[in-house]
Amino acid sequence: MSMKPVYIIADNMVSPIGQTAKENFDLLKAGVSGIRLHHTAFSSEPFYAALFDEHTGFADNIPQSGAYTKFEQLLMASVRDALSAARVDHTGKRTVLIVASTKGNVSLIEKGSVDTELKKRIALSTSARLVADHFHFTTAPVVISQACISGLVALITGMRLLQSGRFDHAVVAGADVITQFVLSGFRSFHAVSNLPCKPFDAGRNGITLGEAAATVVLSVEKPHRPGSIRLMSGAVTNDANHISGPSRTGEELHYAIETAVKEAGIAKSGIDFISAHGTATLYNDEMEAKAITLSGLQQVPVNSLKGYYGHTLGAAGLVETVASAHSLLSGTILPTPGFEMPGTSQPLNVNRVLQSGRYNCCLKTASGFGGCNAAVILQKDV
Amino acid sequence: MKNDPKTYITAYCSISGGKVYKDDKLIFKEDTPDETADFLLSVYKSFSIDYPKFYKMDNLSKLGFLAAELLLGGRQIAEEYGPERIGVVFSNASSSLDADLKYFETVKNIPSPALFVYTLPNIVIGEVSIRHRCKGENGFFIRDRFDTDWMQFYVQDLFDRGRVESCICGWVECLEAHYHAAVYLVESCPGEKALPFNSKHIHQIYETDNGEING
């Protein structure tokens, strides 16, 4: 099967840090984190998280009440900005919209009785259709809900759709918002850190939640501007071990990494940095350290961006892919906010400071509930 | 793509409306209409399945678990192909809303971690993967209705890329009183049925009620 090259031709991030990918990346380089202590109506105790201001509108021209929920407004703001930069005919038959989210509009059940109408309104396919209609997409949107790897599975699906020849462009967008449902659930697991999360650190004790949207526009057409990023490959695996705890060995994430490397046709020595999942739970970071070591990549600089954005769930894979693409383009490896003391049984080269250099290739990984793992390879097209 | 590896549906199972079909046979029918959970438990008991974790699962996972269990009928596909060569790809309309509603009921008192863990649709993939040691490609897609073309594309692509040699796939939908599983095993060996893996046959499995599928 011949592999058509797939390019990232536009991107966006809408987060508590900024409204565009560039704004976000500039502030990440300046060390700005979106994590704050929040007092909200849905939690009796204050908690650290990266949340939007309650009164933030995400973009002009998108109705801020009534027609669209906060989740949908967030998706639309991200898609709008990415489309304006992509300059492709997204209303034609050759473009597909792909949406990734874990919980979408689940907040709608928090308000009381849930009737048949509301059940339809909550469905992720309803949100995807509203977003598609808003921007006049004419092809049926694809929706992925696969825990914390949703964003990466969406990217991989987009790549596969383009390589199959079904479409020429894929607008891949992911978003999640933090509500009582999500916060209470992670708290019930004792998985929420009392302080801003500390990925890979010896003192890590859980995640910090975050809300964001990110969009990547993939195309089979090579951008005219110099210095574009190719999505080289992607792979998904399952631990087949436990539904809420990661693999004890890391073998299955390792297998995803090996498969992605093989599909990309690159040498592992060519990987310049790894953008890990790095949620800062004891077990996730330990599993990732084992998987990276099994892959022989323990010397490669690795970062987690959860100290900037918190864990943005279904958006995380896309948020971190966008940041990694900008890292490659600008010759910068971002640090890992929260990391101080090595804290995994297999030592990793956790990146602590902003590094500059010539970087061509990045491995992005993610893992999630249900035992799922994903890996993608990004490479600068030279 | 002309060089696609040939793929076949080698077994199928559907569960809906109080009936369970395996391939072209009705293998279980409830006597009187039951609550979803009670019906699923009756199916579990009637086939003498011994898997205590079943009792902890939410209804969506129970439904997918039972469908996969009856689909494979004791076949050890992980032994045959190797765990990494087996994929699981599911799709539904309501995501995990059934579990979401049940979990959120507990938030008023003490939020239940045992229910929260099921508030993701792909947990059923995890449960099926644990049971049958499937470690290969997996994916969960939300569609407003059963979509044969999507499944056919996504799963065939996994075969074309050489990622899987066997894939458990299909529709697994459960919301309160409504449940419908239509799952099938896709392999590159034709098996006895030699039913080509295409949209027409996927659709027939979804529509199974008289149980007759002719290649």
Side-chain angles (χ1 to χ4, degrees):
Chain A
M1 181 166 171
S2 67
M3 297 291 184
K4 249 185 237 179
V6 171
Y7 301 90
I8 296 179
I9 60 163
D11 58 18
N12 164 273
M13 273 193 250
V14 176
S15 79
I17 296 175
Q19 302 281 312
T20 65
K22 184 180 183 309
E23 194 184 344
N24 271 275
F25 195 71
D26 287 346
L27 290 166
L28 296 183
K29 284 194 290 184
V32 173
S33 167
I35 298 172
R36 306 269 179 280
L37 191 63
H38 288 270
H39 300 75
T40 70
F42 61 80
S43 171
S44 52
E45 299 153 43
F47 61 101
Y48 282 97
L51 308 181
F52 291 104
D53 257 339
E54 239 169 274
H55 307 292
T56 304
F58 299 111
D60 299 336
N61 309 324
I62 293 171
Q64 281 169 28
S65 61
Y68 304 122
T69 61
K70 175 180 172 181
F71 164 66
E72 289 150 9
Q73 290 172 36
L74 186 53
L75 267 178
M76 287 175 182
S78 182
V79 168
R80 174 185 297 276
D81 180 54
L83 282 179
S84 72
R87 296 168 188 279
V88 295
D89 175 20
H90 67 273
T91 64
K93 290 285 166 216
R94 303 299 300 164
T95 304
V96 62
L97 172 68
I98 303 178
V99 173
S101 182
T102 63
K103 297 311 306 171
N105 277 331
V106 78
S107 66
L108 296 176
I109 74 169
E110 296 171 2
K111 294 181 170 65
S113 74
V114 181
D115 59 14
T116 308
E117 276 307 297
L118 191 61
K119 284 173 198 160
K120 280 187 190 149
R121 185 65 189 80
I122 289 168
L124 280 169
S125 46
T126 301
S127 297
R129 200 188 62 242
L130 287 170
V131 175
D133 288 351
H134 182 78
F135 293 105
H136 308 291
F137 282 87
T138 54
T139 58
V142 173
V143 180
I144 285 139
S145 187
Q146 199 163 351
C148 305
I149 72 166
S150 301
L152 287 192
V153 177
L155 267 180
I156 292 168
T157 300
M159 182 188 76
R160 291 175 180 171
L161 280 167
L162 266 47
Q163 288 177 337
S164 76
R166 286 201 160 200
F167 298 100
D168 295 329
H169 318 289
V171 179
V172 186
D176 261 304
V177 295
I178 302 305
T179 69
Q180 184 184 14
F181 185 101
V182 172
L183 179 67
S184 65
F186 280 100
R187 271 192 178 152
S188 77
F189 261 97
H190 303 286
V192 179
S193 174
N194 59 328
L195 292 170
C197 65
K198 299 171 74 65
F200 298 110
D201 188 79
R204 69 186 184 277
N205 71 353
I207 65 168
T208 296
L209 289 163
E211 41 192 19
T215 302
V216 168
V217 183
L218 300 174
S219 177
V220 294
E221 290 167 13
K222 186 175 175 164
H224 296 300
R225 60 186 159 78
S228 52
I229 300 295
R230 266 182 72 183
L231 175 58
M232 301 293 289
S233 64
V236 184
T237 63
N238 197 284
D239 292 342
N241 174 56
H242 196 280
I243 52 170
S244 59
S247 165
R248 286 165 197 275
T249 61
E251 278 171 45
E252 298 78 14
L253 174 58
H254 161 60
Y255 180 63
I257 293 170
E258 293 290 331
T259 307
V261 165
K262 196 173 156 198
E263 186 178 82
I266 60 162
K268 275 195 259 180
S269 57
I271 296 172
D272 293 304
F273 72 94
I274 303 167
S275 170
H277 194 44
T279 61
T281 65
L282 274 179
Y283 295 112
N284 175 79
D285 294 5
E286 176 65 16
M287 182 280 284
E288 280 192 287
K290 286 177 176 164
I292 288 167
T293 304
L294 282 171
S295 303
L297 296 169
Q298 65 274 21
Q299 301 299 329
V300 176
V302 56
N303 65 21
S304 159
L305 306 185
K306 300 294 191 289
Y308 290 108
Y309 292 110
H311 191 345
T312 57
L313 308 175
L318 285 159
V319 165
E320 292 154 15
T321 295
V322 171
S324 297
H326 283 255
S327 286
L328 290 173
L329 290 173
S330 65
T332 313
I333 306 177
L334 294 166
T336 304
F339 174 78
E340 289 163 318
M341 290 281 292
T344 51
S345 68
Q346 306 291 322
L348 295 179
N349 180 9
V350 180
N351 194 42
R352 299 158 187 262
V353 293
L354 199 66
Q355 284 197 49
S356 298
R358 288 176 63 88
Y359 309 119
N360 289 315
C361 183
C362 160
L363 165 67
K364 169 79 206 106
T365 65
S367 300
F369 275 6
C372 49
N373 306 289
V376 302
I377 304 272
L378 303 177
Q379 196 170 55
K380 199 153 70 179
D381 195 52
V382 285
Chain B
M1 282 176 282
K2 289 199 176 62
N3 299 321
D4 289 351
K6 284 244 186 318
T7 47
Y8 300 90
I9 295 171
T10 55
Y12 43 93
C13 176
S14 78
I15 305 178
S16 70
K19 293 178 191 166
V20 181
Y21 290 93
K22 167 71 194 295
D23 299 338
D24 50 2
K25 289 189 195 67
L26 177 68
I27 57 170
F28 181 87
K29 187 172 182 301
E30 70 182 353
D31 301 327
T32 51
D34 234 336
E35 299 268 323
T36 303
D38 296 333
F39 165 72
L40 295 171
L41 184 61
S42 309
V43 176
Y44 175 84
K45 285 186 170 163
S46 91
F47 291 97
S48 309
I49 300 165
D50 181 20
Y51 194 69
K53 263 194 243 172
F54 176 83
Y55 294 93
K56 291 187 183 176
M57 295 178 196
D58 76 324
N59 283 348
L60 179 66
S61 286
K62 281 179 177 162
L63 178 66
F65 170 88
L66 288 171
E69 198 69 14
L70 298 170
L71 174 77
L72 293 176
R75 254 186 86 181
Q76 307 281 322
I77 48 172
E79 304 290 321
E80 292 176 43
Y81 291 105
E84 289 81 10
R85 310 295 293 157
I86 301 163
V88 183
V89 181
F90 285 151
S91 167
N92 79 7
S94 301
S95 184
S96 57
L97 183 57
D98 189 68
D100 295 353
L101 294 167
K102 286 174 182 147
Y103 164 72
F104 200 69
E105 278 297 307
T106 73
V107 172
K108 292 159 195 163
N109 299 308
I110 300 164
S112 163
L115 292 177
F116 182 67
V117 70
Y118 286 99
T119 65
L120 292 163
N122 63 300
I123 298 299
V124 58
I125 292 180
E127 293 287 15
V128 168
S129 296
I130 292 167
R131 172 62 165 171
H132 300 290
R133 290 207 304 132
C134 313
K135 293 191 173 187
E137 284 277 341
N138 51 113
F140 203 105
F141 300 93
I142 310 290
R143 317 288 288 184
D144 58 354
R145 62 179 70 92
F146 184 69
D147 185 336
T148 55
D149 285 346
W150 176 257
M151 268 295 166
Q152 204 277 334
F153 157 73
Y154 197 81
V155 173
Q156 183 65 45
D157 183 75
L158 295 177
F159 279 88
D160 295 346
R161 286 169 190 273
R163 285 293 167 80
V164 298
E165 290 178 71
S166 173
C167 192
I168 298 169
C169 34
W171 181 257
V172 186
E173 163 73 8
C174 182
L175 180 56
E176 296 168 338
H178 172 78
Y179 54 87
H180 189 169
V183 302
Y184 35 97
L185 184 67
V186 178
E187 296 176 89
S188 36
C189 313
E192 284 171 22
K193 273 181 277 299
L195 203 61
F197 176 49
N198 58 35
S199 293
K200 183 183 126 198
H201 291 135
I202 298 172
H203 190 74
Q204 285 175 344
I205 293 165
Y206 180 74
E207 294 291 336
T208 301
D209 208 4
N210 61 12
E212 291 294 322
I213 293 182
N214 301 308

